[in-house]
Amino acid sequence: MAKLPTDINMDILSRLSVKCLLRFKCVSKSFCSLIDSQEFIKIHLKRSIETNSNLSLILSGTPASILPSSCYWNGKIFSASLDSLILGVELDHPFKNCKGETLMIDSCNGLIALQNDENDIALWNPATKEHVMLPEFWSDLKDNVYVVCDGFGYDAVNDDYKVVRLIQFGTESVEYTEVDVYSLRTNSSRRIRVDFPYYSPRPWNGTFADGHVHWLVTNNPEDDIANLIVAFDLKSEEFHEVPLPHLENRNEVLVMFVGTLSGRLYFCCLYDHSRPVNVWVMKESWTEAFSIPRRVGDYVKPLAYSKSGGKILMDNCEYVNMLKMKI
């Protein structure tokens, strides 16, 4: 029986789900070698992004509309379909048997950076169930740590996944800032002392989009709300500023969020009254994409588009609700 050329095999296999590919690895050594190759992995990832396929929603601290509230936290992580939240499936992850909470730092290209209460970090592929434990590149932290914010993303130029730890040192206030950058490609890290005249009103982990990890910050240490975004370029390992969209009555803002929708950075904020939440998406500049109805007291933010793109999944920190998009 004649064999198909490698490029045709690649094209056929790239249309399959990861679950099917894991089965095909058992067919022959040549199939296993092809599926494990970096060239095929990139082709499969590119097709998945272009066709909006092989998508799932990974949740920690799962909302009650998917699973009973008794399943909250306790290190549990679940997978659910973006278009049907009827059933959530608990996943085996690297920290499942560890005590305490497991946080998802961020995700990129099907990989998730996880952190447990012991400050261990792992890069995990929930589709293949493979993971890599990171060395403790932050182990020499001094006692006067003031703020720590983490981030994770992909450096496309160097074909490298990187974990970033932004550390601000001081006792009663920030005195200086350093950045730890871990490279999966080289399995090494380096610490950089940076000129960083910013402060984190809420030390949340960063959001990866377009080759950068983004954090909400302020340049005024007295502010309790951010006034700009700083972006860390994973290629050059330098910071630059991203202005916020124009906000009316900024002094009435309760909290701000940044995240990603279909790979693009988004920004939204909640006011101290029942004003609808406007969501801006970064294209070449900020574009107001849609609005979310909100009741007083609800913390509302978008999570993801449905596969069809006609709906958006919202999180209000108490339950998950599917709303029609208003474009």
Side-chain angles (χ1 to χ4, degrees), residues 8 10 40 62 88 90-92 143 282 292 296 310 315 322:
I8 295 179
M10 277 195 173
F40 176 78
T62 306
E90 184 177 355
L91 300 177
D92 291 326
D143 293 331
M282 176 61 77
I292 307 165
V296 175
D315 180 10
M322 191 73 80

Side-chain angles (χ1 to χ4, degrees), residues 106-145:
D106 206 352
S107 64
C108 177
N109 296 343
L111 298 182
I112 302 175
L114 297 177
Q115 182 180 19
N116 66 5
D117 278 352
E118 301 299 320
N119 211 20
D120 299 316
I121 296 178
L123 300 184
W124 172 50
N125 186 330
T128 64
K129 302 180 182 180
E130 298 173 328
H131 74 275
V132 175
M133 294 295 300
L134 270 59
E136 294 188 9
F137 58 87
W138 57 88
S139 58
D140 60 340
L141 290 180
K142 307 173 184 64
D143 293 331
N144 62 331
V145 173

Side-chain angles (χ1 to χ4, degrees), residues 48 63 69 84 93 112 128 134 169 195 242 290:
S48 296
S69 58
S84 176
H93 62 85
I112 302 175
T128 64
L134 270 59
F169 295 91
D195 180 17
V242 179
F290 53 90

Side-chain angles (χ1 to χ4, degrees), residues 18 56 71 161 243 266 288 290 321 326:
V18 174
S56 62
C71 293
Y161 291 90
Y266 81 76
E288 190 171 335
F290 53 90
N321 188 21
K326 298 195 298 182

